[in-house]
Amino acid sequence: MKPTDAELEILQVLWSKGPSTVRQVHDELTKTRDVGYTTTLKLMQIMQEKSILGRTEEARSHVYHVLIGEEETQKSLLDRFVETAFRGSATKLVIQALGQHKASREELDEIRALLNEQLNQNSPD
Amino acid sequence: MKPTDAELEILQVLWSKGPSTVRQVHDELTKTRDVGYTTTLKLMQIMQEKSILGRTEEARSHVYHVLIGEEETQKSLLDRFVETAFRGSATKLVIQALGQHKASREELDEIRALLNEQLNQNSPD
DNA sequence: CCTTTACTACGAAATCTTTCGTAGATACTA
DNA sequence: TAGTATCTACGAAAGATTTCGTAGTAAAGG
């Protein structure tokens, strides 16, 4: 699954807001970017054809929902990204990400826990 | 700087192998993908126009070199990626990356050190 | 030399993605 | 009920990226 940039924007809205009409998605999108209503409509129709989205047509305005998981999609985007941008080195990516984005105490603890897990797998004392 | 996918492939070769001719880059690319020689040539010419690459024309076959830094480019790609794929949460990205890619002992230590730095900044004991 | 090979230049086709205009249908409102 | 607003469908333009064919030129090998 390799959603295009515009598709990803729509996915983000649907993942965060849940099932929505074209109008609702479009209103979200136009908060940051200027784009015509029929553009959003068309994109969502295309995404439905590709089985990225499903929809219920009961009401006059259709309600769309995402058919692919956010984490699963992120996982595959991440794999691809590590390959193309970091020559396969996830570690380099992690280091850069940690270096340039601040994390909260809780987040750091979570990451630390994960690290410990890997450390143990790697060379258990 | 937002190199396209094909451009990024070429950049990877040049970053890893150093200054190279079109032939050399092309031979690397065809190890994984099937593409015509003139395609690679054209891409590199375009990249030169965009000032992503420079070249010396002394020899019959030109030698190209990268004009943008690998880390700097990765940084900007990463920022963009965190936004579009992880809704801005670098932490989610880090967690996923750690979860799905194995790291060596040394790498884990490096990450751990970085974490400690951030922890201290966040809530120094 | 003359032929084959390797290279650059470049236009343009092919493909993929995004954008929009127009048309037709239904609901809402004065 | 006439007019306005809102929705879907859809073709096709516009834009961006990738691919390749052809032409011209210089080198290399017989």
Side-chain angles (χ1 to χ4, degrees):
Chain A
M1 199 63 29
K2 191 178 71 66
T4 66
D5 283 355
E7 286 173 350
L8 206 45
E9 277 189 320
I10 290 171
L11 285 173
Q12 299 290 17
V13 173
L14 288 171
W15 278 325
S16 105
K17 303 279 179 179
S20 312
T21 62
V22 173
R23 172 64 57 191
Q24 288 169 326
V25 170
H26 183 248
D27 285 351
E28 274 305 308
L29 292 187
T30 46
K31 282 181 183 168
T32 30
R33 214 161 50 85
D34 214 34
V35 71
Y37 176 83
T38 54
T39 300
T40 305
L41 172 65
K42 178 71 166 186
L43 277 171
M44 290 175 75
Q45 286 170 343
I46 289 171
M47 289 168 81
Q48 193 223 352
E49 266 170 26
K50 292 193 198 169
S51 297
I52 294 175
L53 301 184
R55 72 181 181 188
T56 56
E57 309 186 0
E58 295 151 23
R60 182 154 118 74
S61 55
H62 306 169
V63 176
Y64 288 79
H65 57 275
V66 187
L67 291 178
I68 58 179
E70 177 169 19
E71 293 221 341
E72 164 204 342
T73 305
Q74 284 174 341
K75 173 171 157 25
S76 92
L77 288 172
L78 181 57
D79 282 345
R80 188 185 178 71
F81 184 69
V82 168
E83 274 317 310
T84 61
F86 284 81
R87 286 195 239 160
S89 167
T91 303
K92 274 227 182 77
L93 177 148
V94 167
I95 290 171
Q96 281 233 10
L98 285 175
Q100 79 195 251
H101 300 269
K102 289 279 167 280
S104 72
R105 176 66 189 244
E106 291 71 27
E107 292 173 326
L108 289 173
D109 284 348
E110 192 177 351
I111 293 169
R112 174 182 287 275
L114 253 170
L115 268 190
N116 284 334
E117 265 178 45
Q118 286 227 357
L119 258 182
N120 291 334
Q121 280 172 30
N122 222 336
S123 52
D125 297 326
Chain B
M1 200 62 29
K2 191 178 70 65
T4 67
D5 283 355
E7 285 173 351
L8 206 45
E9 277 189 320
I10 289 170
L11 285 173
Q12 299 291 16
V13 173
L14 288 171
W15 278 324
S16 104
K17 303 280 179 179
S20 312
T21 62
V22 173
R23 172 64 55 192
Q24 289 168 327
V25 170
H26 182 248
D27 285 351
E28 275 304 309
L29 292 187
T30 46
K31 282 183 184 169
T32 31
R33 213 161 53 83
D34 213 35
V35 70
Y37 176 83
T38 53
T39 301
T40 305
L41 171 65
K42 179 71 167 186
L43 278 170
M44 290 177 74
Q45 285 171 344
I46 290 172
M47 290 168 81
Q48 194 224 350
E49 265 170 26
K50 293 192 197 169
S51 297
I52 294 175
L53 301 184
R55 72 180 183 190
T56 55
E57 311 185 359
E58 295 151 20
R60 181 153 118 73
S61 54
H62 306 168
V63 175
Y64 289 80
H65 56 275
V66 188
L67 292 178
I68 59 180
E70 176 168 20
E71 293 222 342
E72 164 203 342
T73 306
Q74 285 174 340
K75 173 169 159 27
S76 92
L77 287 171
L78 181 58
D79 282 346
R80 185 184 180 74
F81 183 69
V82 167
E83 272 318 309
T84 61
F86 285 81
R87 287 195 237 161
S89 167
T91 302
K92 275 227 182 77
L93 177 148
V94 167
I95 290 170
Q96 282 234 9
L98 285 176
Q100 81 197 247
H101 300 270
K102 289 279 166 279
S104 72
R105 176 68 190 244
E106 291 71 28
E107 293 173 326
L108 290 173
D109 284 346
E110 191 175 351
I111 294 169
R112 174 181 286 273
L114 253 170
L115 268 190
N116 284 335
E117 264 179 45
Q118 285 227 357
L119 258 182
N120 291 335
Q121 281 173 30
N122 222 337
S123 53
D125 300 324

